[in-house]
């Protein structure tokens, strides 16, 4: 990290800001997600056992060698557990603010169109979308890693596109792109 900072083409203030982002934002969202995952697994021992069985089988398949990053792609139930945790307990529950690039019409409380001009600041709130029965079914408030997810929604580790931000129109645990 020190070498990267010393050879960086960015200003000192940009490097400092990026360093804070890596150290705190990445750490906080990971810790937040792991805490809620452990909470949900403690509440659902049958799912905890299913995940434990997958992990035990994973390590047995390694034949005593240390796992490599690409091996993690075989932990598909773990991917689904992480995804479901991010759905119920999004790391950025209050969403994110965006400035509209184009004018947009939305439905108001009475069903009438409300026109939002280009440049309007909007807030995309994750919490109510992630728990909306119209989007997720009657079990929207239930931790269920086996629920139907679109491929773009599932968090993947250890494979191509693993760093992709999981999202769809109904699911954006971090924030919608573009940033």
């Amino acid at each position: 990290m020190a070498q990267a900072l010393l050879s960086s083409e960015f200003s000192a203030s940009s490097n400092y800001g990026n360093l804070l982002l890596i150290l705190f934002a990445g750490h906080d969202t990971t810790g937040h997600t792991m805490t809620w995952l452990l909470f949900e697994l403690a509440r659902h021992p049958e799912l905890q056992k299913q995940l434990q069985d997958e992990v035990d089988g994973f390590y047995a398949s390694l034949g005593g060698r240390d796992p490599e990053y690409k091996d993690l792609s075989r932990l598909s139930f773990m991917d689904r557990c992480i995804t479901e945790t991010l759905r119920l307990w999004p790391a950025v529950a209050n969403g994110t603010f965006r400035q509209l690039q184009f004018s947009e019409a939305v439905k108001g409380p009475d069903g009438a169109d409300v026109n939002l001009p280009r440049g309007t600041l909007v807030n995309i709130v994750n919490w109510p979308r992630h728990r909306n029965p119209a989007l997720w079914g009657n079990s929207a408030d239930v931790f269920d890693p086996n629920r139907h997810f679109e491929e773009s929604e599932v968090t993947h580790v250890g494979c191509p596109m693993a760093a992709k931000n999981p999202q769809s129109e109904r699911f954006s645990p971090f924030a919608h792109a573009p940033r």
Side-chain angles (χ1 to χ4, degrees):
M1 179 74 79
Q3 183 61 36
L5 291 173
L6 290 173
S7 63
S8 173
E9 296 177 17
F10 294 108
S11 68
S13 63
S14 290
N15 283 332
Y16 179 71
N18 286 331
L19 184 63
L20 288 178
L21 184 66
I22 291 167
L23 290 176
F24 296 108
H27 169 64
D28 184 58
T29 55
T30 301
H32 173 275
T33 301
M34 292 302 297
T35 298
W36 286 114
L37 173 57
L38 293 173
F39 170 77
E40 290 294 353
L41 291 174
R43 292 177 60 205
H44 298 89
E46 73 287 358
L47 296 173
Q48 183 182 52
K49 180 170 181 351
Q50 185 178 348
L51 182 57
Q52 183 66 56
D53 290 347
E54 180 181 70
V55 171
D56 289 346
F58 169 77
Y59 276 102
S61 74
L62 295 177
R65 71 172 174 82
D66 288 339
E68 296 178 15
Y69 180 72
K70 65 183 178 183
D71 294 324
L72 300 176
S73 66
R74 298 196 322 250
L75 296 169
S76 59
F77 187 65
M78 183 177 290
D79 286 343
R80 297 183 71 77
C81 286
I82 292 169
T83 300
E84 180 68 347
T85 300
L86 289 168
R87 184 189 69 81
L88 278 178
W89 308 104
V92 186
N94 291 332
T96 185
F97 288 93
R98 295 289 186 266
Q99 187 172 26
L100 293 180
Q101 301 301 307
F102 304 97
S103 296
E104 182 73 38
V106 297
K107 295 290 181 199
D110 60 355
D113 281 348
V114 175
N115 292 312
L116 303 174
R118 179 180 188 263
T120 301
L121 292 175
V122 296
N123 182 217
I124 302 168
V125 183
N126 296 327
W127 186 272
R129 279 186 311 116
H130 288 187
R131 292 175 177 260
N132 185 338
L135 299 174
W136 297 97
N138 291 333
S139 66
D141 285 328
V142 175
F143 182 76
D144 179 11
N146 295 307
R147 78 173 57 251
H148 173 75
F149 286 105
E150 300 299 327
E151 184 57 32
S152 65
E153 297 170 339
V154 179
T155 303
H156 294 288
V157 178
C159 58
M161 299 301 290
K164 177 182 80 57
N165 187 13
Q167 67 182 20
S168 69
E169 288 187 10
R170 67 179 186 165
F171 182 68
S172 58
F174 298 101
H176 268 296
R179 292 185 180 196

